Amino acid sequence: MKSFFNVLLSALFCIILTGCKNETNTAPTAAVENTVQYAKGFSVQNYDGYTVVKVQNPWPKATKTYTYVLKEKNGIIPDNLKQNTIISVPIKNIVVTSTTHIPSLEMLDEVNSLVGFPHLDYISSEKVRARIEAGKVKELGNNHDLNTEVILNLQPDVIIGYGIDNNNPTLDNLQKSGLKIMLNGDWNEETPLGKAEWIKFFGALYGKQKEADELFSKIEKDYLKTIEIAKNATYTPTILAGDMFEDRWYLPKGTSWGSLFLKEAKGDYLWAATSGTGSLSLSFEAVFEKAKNADIWITSGQFSSLKEMTDRNPHYAQFTAFKNKNVYSFSGKKGKTGGILYYELAPNRPDIVLKDIVKILHPELLPSYQTFFFEKLK
């Protein structure tokens, strides 16, 4: 009889305290606070046994949030998260689709996990090029027409894709085939530190969140330190950017990633008052009228010498910055197969980019520093 009452009391306590629902594992345990500070396109929430990564802005004006659940060994996923893409971590092999993803793998010491990439010639990283030459990284064709047969044979733990809109049938088909797809929107971030912080996205995949946090913290610290150095500038040079492509001059809008570097380096970018994060498209005449007397010209990276510039367009020689040989480019640093290192590494290392630009605009503030990406054209 006593046993019966013990069971009854236990049942009553169960009903009072928990409701004794049959639906177990419906709510997540408490999350550790999201450590993403600058990036607007993703968040990372850590729970006991799993991590939730949300990507909310993979391309301009995206309306959907993409949720990915990174499951640790023996982790238990709540029922209300099981409809999302679930990826077992730490991952062992990966396919990425943008050169901007490569530096995160290198900084996290995970280049050996890369098994495939579209347009291998674009990659500049020496460590990854060595793996390509050894046949350990497969060519996957075009980003929007990936070689699905090769990818299916590789069976990567995850494919990191990106898009300019919600139309990527190749990634959709790979997902239908059972492969795991994650979207990465690093390119859509509007601030230098926001772009760089996507290393935390990769850190979560490899179980290296602490390492990713430490790497980003150093970049952040160096970037902010350089801003403080730039505040000591005693003058503000005027800046022209970009150059002609076909019959239009393309240069960054005033609130874009590129123009923010010029602002924080204490430069007077002549189109700083324009709004937007993309590029302006102007006629040669419009640019010449406004910037013919600009102190410094930072080109788009098309050219590696002043002669190359005037061979393409003799009118470039009419600008004061050209006459004074104050023209700078990042085209000089290339990988073995011609990929420009700036496009690959610069979004991940804004600390280096900013330091380069401060050196160009205010060389007296960094007397012993040698620019890494940029060089004065001869």
Side-chain angles (χ1 to χ4, degrees):
M1 192 72 173
K2 187 175 179 182
S3 176
F4 171 77
F5 279 114
N6 286 340
V7 172
L8 181 61
L9 284 171
S10 296
L12 286 171
F13 275 115
C14 182
I15 292 169
I16 293 168
L17 297 176
T18 67
C20 270
K21 295 179 181 179
N22 290 327
E23 300 171 14
T24 59
N25 191 37
T26 57
T29 54
V32 175
E33 185 179 356
N34 175 34
T35 61
V36 178
Q37 297 173 271
Y38 297 91
K40 303 298 184 185
F42 81 109
S43 63
V44 178
Q45 296 281 356
N46 296 302
Y47 298 87
D48 184 16
Y50 64 95
T51 297
V52 176
V53 176
K54 291 187 177 181
V55 176
Q56 53 260 33
N57 199 27
W59 51 76
K61 299 180 181 179
T63 57
K64 178 182 175 182
T65 295
Y66 295 83
T67 300
Y68 308 101
V69 182
L70 311 184
K71 179 183 177 296
E72 299 168 23
K73 186 178 181 181
N74 300 323
I76 299 173
I77 307 301
D79 294 340
N80 61 341
L81 290 175
K82 288 181 178 177
Q83 76 277 14
N84 300 298
T85 299
I86 298 174
I87 300 164
S88 294
V89 294
I91 61 167
K92 301 300 182 186
N93 51 69
I94 192 170
V95 163
V96 301
T97 54
S98 169
T99 55
T100 61
H101 304 159
I102 300 293
S104 290
L105 304 188
E106 187 164 342
M107 286 189 284
L108 290 167
D109 196 24
E110 292 291 348
V111 293
N112 289 345
S113 67
L114 182 65
V115 294
F117 186 86
H119 283 306
L120 292 176
D121 285 351
Y122 290 163
I123 296 177
S124 299
S125 163
E126 291 182 5
K127 289 183 179 180
V128 178
R129 291 236 59 89
R131 284 183 54 79
I132 292 169
E133 290 166 8
K136 295 178 179 179
V137 183
K138 300 299 182 184
E139 173 63 67
L140 301 181
N142 298 317
N143 187 53
H144 290 283
D145 187 22
L146 297 171
N147 190 321
T148 55
E149 184 179 350
V150 173
I151 295 176
L152 288 170
N153 286 333
L154 290 172
Q155 285 293 301
D157 294 333
V158 65
I159 301 167
I160 308 300
Y162 74 93
I164 56 173
D165 53 32
N166 193 27
N167 182 29
N168 197 322
T170 303
L171 291 179
D172 293 341
N173 289 333
L174 288 167
Q175 191 157 16
K176 289 175 184 176
S177 299
L179 295 179
K180 308 291 186 179
I181 310 293
M182 290 183 76
L183 292 175
N184 180 298
D186 59 359
W187 69 277
N188 198 33
E189 293 289 339
E190 298 177 3
T191 64
L193 288 177
K195 286 181 184 288
E197 199 166 20
W198 280 80
I199 191 173
K200 296 179 181 180
F201 173 96
F202 289 97
L205 286 171
Y206 290 101
K208 291 187 172 181
Q209 291 193 49
K210 181 181 178 183
E211 291 91 332
D213 288 348
E214 290 173 352
L215 286 162
F216 177 75
S217 291
K218 185 180 186 308
I219 291 169
E220 176 193 25
K221 180 181 178 181
D222 291 347
Y223 186 88
L224 297 177
K225 181 180 177 181
T226 303
I227 288 178
E228 291 303 311
I229 291 172
K231 288 179 180 178
N232 295 315
T234 56
Y235 70 102
T236 307
T238 52
I239 302 169
L240 164 64
D243 39 51
M244 298 289 289
F245 181 74
E246 294 180 346
D247 62 345
R248 302 296 291 175
W249 193 302
Y250 293 95
L251 63 168
K253 290 182 178 179
T255 53
S256 67
W257 177 72
S259 67
L260 283 176
F261 283 116
L262 304 178
K263 178 182 178 181
E264 293 183 326
K266 292 301 175 185
D268 179 14
Y269 176 48
L270 293 173
W271 280 267
T274 61
S275 61
T277 59
S279 297
L280 294 166
S281 173
L282 304 175
S283 67
F284 178 91
E285 292 75 18
V287 173
F288 183 71
E289 182 180 356
K290 189 166 188 171
K292 60 184 176 182
N293 292 319
D295 297 313
I296 293 170
W297 183 354
I298 298 178
T299 71
S300 68
Q302 287 190 76
F303 309 109
S304 56
S305 71
L306 296 174
K307 184 178 184 302
E308 275 187 23
M309 293 181 70
T310 51
D311 284 348
R312 182 77 60 87
N313 189 332
H315 298 297
Y316 286 148
Q318 298 176 36
F319 288 89
T320 297
F322 189 98
K323 293 174 184 177
N324 293 336
K325 297 183 179 180
N326 281 328
V327 184
Y328 292 83
S329 174
F330 50 75
S331 65
K333 229 163 203 181
K334 297 179 180 179
K336 287 183 179 179
T337 50
I340 295 178
L341 182 62
Y342 184 87
Y343 295 135
E344 181 174 310
L345 184 58
N348 296 265
R349 294 303 306 271
D351 53 326
I352 299 176
V353 177
L354 183 60
K355 211 167 185 179
D356 274 12
I357 295 175
V358 170
K359 177 68 175 183
I360 291 169
L361 305 188
H362 309 287
E364 73 284 357
L365 298 181
L366 295 169
S368 61
Y369 178 72
Q370 299 294 319
T371 56
F372 180 81
F373 291 114
F374 290 90
E375 61 181 15
K376 182 181 281 192
L377 294 187
K378 299 177 180 178

